[in-house]
Amino acid sequence: MATTVLSSAQSTVRNWWISLLIGILYIIAGVWVFQTPLASYVSLSIVFSVFIFVSGISQILFSITNKNDINNWGWYLAGGILDLIIGLLLMSHPLMTMTILPFYVGFWLLFQGFMAIGLSFQFKAIDVPNWGWLLFLGFLTLMFAFLLLANPVFAGLSIIYMTAMAFVSAGIFRIFLAFGLKKIKNDFS
């Protein structure tokens, strides 16, 4: 039987709350974007840059604190490092960021969506309830990512609303993931 990130019965997942925190941050970012659709594109790029950077740090901390408890913890670390690098690039080049923001957002969300889908199947394999919601939210995140990548010129309000919806769906996924991780922690403690 192949080992997965969450399949080891001996593993406990410490700091499950980091995923919850990331999910809440995603939802807050999504709501903020919805509430300020006419806000400057510059402020969206700055907020997004900082948000990706903070998300990367959180994910790196999660992977390091769970490296002894989760098989293949390096994938979490790789995702965190990718977010950290993208966040740094976005923060250091604000004018360039405004031009290519749809591509950054689209590819970042693609990675998040594929990660969500993979984790949902791992949850299914170990009988965590509500894994189907994780799968649905992963596909929803992918849909918004593909929409952004298919129409990068279609900036304006469309990118703002698609970005907001993607943040909210990714945030809900992270919250479901956190409670799934907490259940695993409680079941194997």
Side-chain angles (χ1 to χ4, degrees), residues 130-186:
N130 299 322
W131 69 269
W133 281 107
L134 297 177
L135 180 65
F136 170 74
L137 293 166
F139 277 116
L140 190 63
T141 302
L142 278 181
M143 180 187 76
F144 288 116
F146 284 125
L147 286 172
L148 284 171
L149 291 170
N151 299 308
V153 178
F154 195 51
L157 290 180
S158 65
I159 189 170
I160 291 171
Y161 288 125
M162 281 191 272
T163 301
M165 287 301 298
F167 275 136
V168 170
S169 64
I172 293 169
F173 163 76
R174 284 295 192 156
I175 290 170
F176 271 92
L177 174 65
F179 288 113
L181 292 172
K182 182 180 180 191
K183 182 180 179 345
I184 291 168
K185 179 185 185 312
N186 291 340

Side-chain angles (χ1 to χ4, degrees), residues 6-24:
L6 301 172
S7 66
S8 173
Q10 296 87 357
S11 76
T12 58
V13 182
R14 293 176 300 198
N15 301 324
W16 58 270
W17 56 269
I18 291 176
S19 186
L20 178 66
L21 178 63
I22 292 171
I24 291 169

Side-chain angles (χ1 to χ4, degrees), residues 32-33 37 39-53 86-87 89-110 144-145 147-164 166-167:
W32 179 82
V33 172
S40 157
Y41 196 65
V42 174
S43 65
L44 178 61
S45 67
I46 291 169
V47 167
F48 181 75
S49 302
V50 171
F51 179 75
I52 297 292
F53 180 77
I86 289 173
L89 285 171
L90 291 171
M91 288 189 304
S92 63
H93 298 40
L95 294 177
M96 179 184 73
T97 300
M98 291 186 306
T99 305
I100 55 178
L101 183 62
F103 292 108
Y104 276 126
V105 174
F107 285 114
W108 176 72
L109 288 171
L110 243 137
F144 288 116
L147 286 172
L148 284 171
L149 291 170
N151 299 308
V153 178
F154 195 51
L157 290 180
S158 65
I159 189 170
I160 291 171
Y161 288 125
M162 281 191 272
T163 301
F167 275 136

Side-chain angles (χ1 to χ4, degrees), residues 25-74:
L25 287 174
Y26 283 175
I27 291 173
I28 289 170
V31 168
W32 179 82
V33 172
F34 266 129
Q35 290 181 339
T36 59
L38 301 176
S40 157
Y41 196 65
V42 174
S43 65
L44 178 61
S45 67
I46 291 169
V47 167
F48 181 75
S49 302
V50 171
F51 179 75
I52 297 292
F53 180 77
V54 171
S55 176
I57 291 171
S58 298
Q59 213 161 326
I60 289 169
L61 289 173
F62 176 81
S63 67
I64 291 171
T65 59
N66 286 294
K67 71 179 179 182
N68 295 326
D69 300 316
I70 297 177
N71 294 330
N72 301 322
W73 64 274

